[in-house]
Amino acid sequence: MAGAIASRMSFSSLKRKQPKTFTVRIVTMDAEMEFNCEVKKQILDEKIYCPPEASVLLASYAVQAKYGDYDPSVHKRGFLAQEELLPKRVINLYQMTPEMWEERITAWYAEHRGRARDEAEMEYLKIAQDLEMYGVNYFAIRNKKGTELLLGVDALGLHIYDPENRLTPKISFPWNEIRNISYSDKEFTIKPLDKKIDVFKFNSSKLRVNKLILQLCIGNHDLFMRRRKADSLEVQQMKAQAREEKARKQMERQRLAREKQMREEAERTRDELERRLLQMKEEATMANEALMRSEETADLLAEKAQITEEEAKLLAQKAAEAEQEMQRIKATAIRTEEEKRLMEQKVLEAEVLALKMAEESERRAKEADQLKQDLQEAREAERRAKQKLLEITTKPTYPPMNPIPAPLPPDMPSFNLIGDSLSFDFKDTDMKRLSMEIEKEKVEYMEKSKHLQEQLNELKTEIEALKLKERETALDILHNENSDRGGTSSKHNTIKKPQAQGRRPICI
């Protein structure tokens, strides 16, 4: 038959449900960046539908990949004002200002601290690849009745969509349930592995469209098979090299993190020492001023004590002279009573004056003693101030540093490379090992997905009150209906549904 091409797509050794895995391409860094930018562009251009809460999380990883770790002193309010991070549909759907969106993006951006650029880009792709329209190539087709439909081809299988609903497929054909795919002219045929199910046929507009569909089917099926076969020796060596390279990068990041922490600790210690040195300088200045004041006070007290001592000597001298005058007056008594009375009165006055001068001399003597005592105290204070100044100037200024080593960040999840061999000769040991690896990856992926889903639900609840219902698009409504039903209508769950016994023939 002219133009008839068929590709056998069946394998019975892997019937159980497989977890969704990632296709890791061996490309250069420039090609990875170009691919990541293309995915980001498709999301921003709304060629791939993205829920609002998921778009905020994707934006935070995009910021981490571009700006590195969050630093409040550098990434201040408004630093994302010129960045295009969210689809316009999401911005118009809520009564939120650009500052409010930036605040929520920055909150998640701060949690990504420590992730390298390639890790942030990989996390971006992990989230993007779970979107319903990610990786799906749509083609306009017609069934036997002439009904217009859409055929979606991706890494999981073939999906039939209603033209108005590109999120939820009407029916899906996983690669492990397809026995044969072929086309003749414009007619395309899908033969399920279960012979009880009728063959599904459809028509495309042009012959070259069928060729393109078949090429995509063959390529996606080959990748599907590669992810489910035992690794060859070459692939195992490549994986080992990749693990060694990842360990080396991890050690390098840990070393840089330790150096950064030690540098920050050294800067903090230097600032503390400078602060303490400044404080000690201020204390030394104050001590010098106090010493100078003490010396001035001691000089004044010494001078005052000397003056008081001289005054006391002068008063004692005057008291002695008064006493001599009194004795002389008594010795030269006047013969007459009047003179005697006058002399007695003078003697009495001289005695009173001598008594007052004696009291004043005693008081001055006590005051001189007190001034001597104050002088001794001032000199003792001067001696203590000099000793304190000596202690301050001889005290060590740099204490020993014992930086605490930085705790090692936890290990990041690893990603395996795929091989190029298409051999299907499995051994029991290979199958058991492969099953254990797949199950381990599935558990790790489910734990991360659970935490991620909790974050997304929290943000969705937070911004739900600001949503403008009248601005919802048809895809928003379909996505919300799928979420309300628990996501049971997505293409991933459609593929994973257990087949009911006695399934009826396909009729679309």
Side-chain angles (χ1 to χ4, degrees), residues 314-359:
L314 182 60
L315 288 173
Q317 184 179 359
K318 288 183 178 181
E321 290 177 356
E323 183 68 22
Q324 291 176 1
E325 181 68 19
M326 183 184 66
Q327 293 295 334
R328 188 181 62 80
I329 292 174
K330 286 182 179 180
T332 58
I334 306 175
R335 295 177 181 179
T336 61
E337 291 182 359
E338 184 66 26
E339 291 176 347
K340 185 178 180 180
R341 187 176 69 253
L342 292 174
M343 291 300 295
E344 287 178 353
Q345 185 177 359
K346 289 182 178 180
V347 169
L348 181 62
E349 291 176 355
E351 288 178 351
V352 172
L353 180 60
L355 181 61
K356 288 182 179 180
M357 293 180 70
E359 291 176 354

Side-chain angles (χ1 to χ4, degrees), residues 33 36 40 58-70 75 79-80 82-85 109 115-118 120-121 124:
M33 293 173 57
N36 196 12
K40 179 181 177 182
L58 289 175
S60 68
Y61 279 111
V63 175
Q64 176 70 20
K66 181 174 182 179
Y67 292 96
D69 289 343
Y70 174 70
H75 306 120
F79 78 104
L80 298 178
Q82 304 300 324
E83 298 288 341
E84 185 180 3
L85 298 171
Y109 167 41
R115 292 185 184 270
R117 177 178 182 178
D118 55 343
E121 291 178 347
Y124 186 100

Side-chain angles (χ1 to χ4, degrees), residues 1-5 141-144 181-190 199-211 213-214:
M1 181 181 296
I5 303 175
I141 61 173
R142 293 177 181 270
N143 62 4
K144 293 180 180 180
I181 296 176
S182 62
Y183 74 88
S184 176
D185 294 333
K186 297 181 181 181
E187 186 178 66
F188 206 95
T189 303
I190 301 175
V199 174
F200 182 76
K201 296 183 179 181
F202 60 85
N203 295 324
S204 62
S205 59
K206 297 180 180 179
L207 176 62
R208 63 182 181 85
V209 175
N210 280 343
K211 291 182 179 180
I213 292 174
L214 186 61

Side-chain angles (χ1 to χ4, degrees), residues 64 87 156 166 439:
Q64 176 70 20
L156 298 175
R166 297 193 176 197
E439 190 65 27

Side-chain angles (χ1 to χ4, degrees), residues 6 35 135 140 145 163 179 221 332 338 340 351 384 433 436 455 471:
F35 176 76
K145 299 179 181 179
R179 178 163 54 93
H221 180 262
T332 58
E338 184 66 26
K340 185 178 180 180
E351 288 178 351
R384 288 197 300 270
R433 181 178 59 81
M436 291 176 64
Q455 286 184 305
R471 296 184 181 179

Side-chain angles (χ1 to χ4, degrees), residues 31-186:
E32 289 181 354
M33 293 173 57
E34 182 179 354
F35 176 76
N36 196 12
C37 291
E38 180 63 25
V39 174
K40 179 181 177 182
K41 186 175 184 301
Q42 289 182 358
I43 293 175
L44 294 179
D45 293 344
E46 302 182 25
K47 294 180 181 179
I48 298 177
Y49 175 80
C50 183
E53 60 276 9
S55 63
V56 175
L57 183 58
L58 289 175
S60 68
Y61 279 111
V63 175
Q64 176 70 20
K66 181 174 182 179
Y67 292 96
D69 289 343
Y70 174 70
D71 187 352
S73 61
V74 177
H75 306 120
K76 298 181 180 180
R77 187 183 184 92
F79 78 104
L80 298 178
Q82 304 300 324
E83 298 288 341
E84 185 180 3
L85 298 171
L86 299 174
K88 294 181 179 180
R89 170 186 55 82
V90 174
I91 297 176
N92 295 332
L93 187 58
Y94 294 89
Q95 290 180 324
M96 296 175 62
T97 62
E99 291 76 14
M100 298 170 68
W101 285 116
E102 179 180 319
E103 180 181 355
R104 283 157 177 81
I105 294 173
T106 305
W108 264 341
Y109 167 41
E111 295 182 3
H112 304 330
R113 183 178 180 85
R115 292 185 184 270
R117 177 178 182 178
D118 55 343
E119 293 177 338
E121 291 178 347
M122 184 59 69
E123 291 297 327
Y124 186 100
L125 291 178
K126 285 182 184 179
I127 299 171
Q129 61 118 34
D130 282 334
L131 301 176
E132 288 89 342
M133 295 176 64
Y134 176 84
V136 181
N137 293 282
Y138 296 94
F139 300 92
I141 61 173
R142 293 177 181 270
N143 62 4
K144 293 180 180 180
K145 299 179 181 179
T147 304
E148 293 185 354
L149 300 171
L150 286 178
L151 172 68
V153 183
D154 66 359
L156 298 175
L158 301 177
H159 316 280
I160 309 301
Y161 296 89
D162 189 288
E164 303 298 328
N165 184 0
R166 297 193 176 197
L167 293 180
T168 309
K170 302 181 69 174
I171 189 171
S172 293
F173 297 94
W175 295 122
N176 60 346
E177 293 185 8
I178 298 177
R179 178 163 54 93
N180 182 269
I181 296 176
S182 62
Y183 74 88
S184 176
D185 294 333
K186 297 181 181 181

Side-chain angles (χ1 to χ4, degrees), residues 230-276:
D231 296 333
S232 63
L233 180 60
E234 181 182 358
V235 173
Q236 292 178 6
Q237 292 176 352
M238 293 172 63
K239 286 185 177 181
Q241 293 176 359
R243 287 193 294 269
E244 292 176 358
E245 181 66 16
K246 182 179 179 182
R248 186 188 64 78
K249 290 183 178 180
Q250 183 71 14
M251 293 179 63
E252 182 68 16
R253 284 195 293 269
Q254 292 173 1
R255 183 183 66 80
L256 293 176
R258 286 195 297 269
E259 291 179 355
K260 183 178 181 180
Q261 183 177 5
M262 292 176 65
R263 184 169 61 254
E264 292 175 351
E265 184 67 23
E267 291 177 354
R268 287 195 296 269
T269 305
R270 183 196 62 192
D271 295 340
E272 178 65 19
L273 291 175
E274 290 178 353
R275 186 187 63 80
R276 290 180 60 186

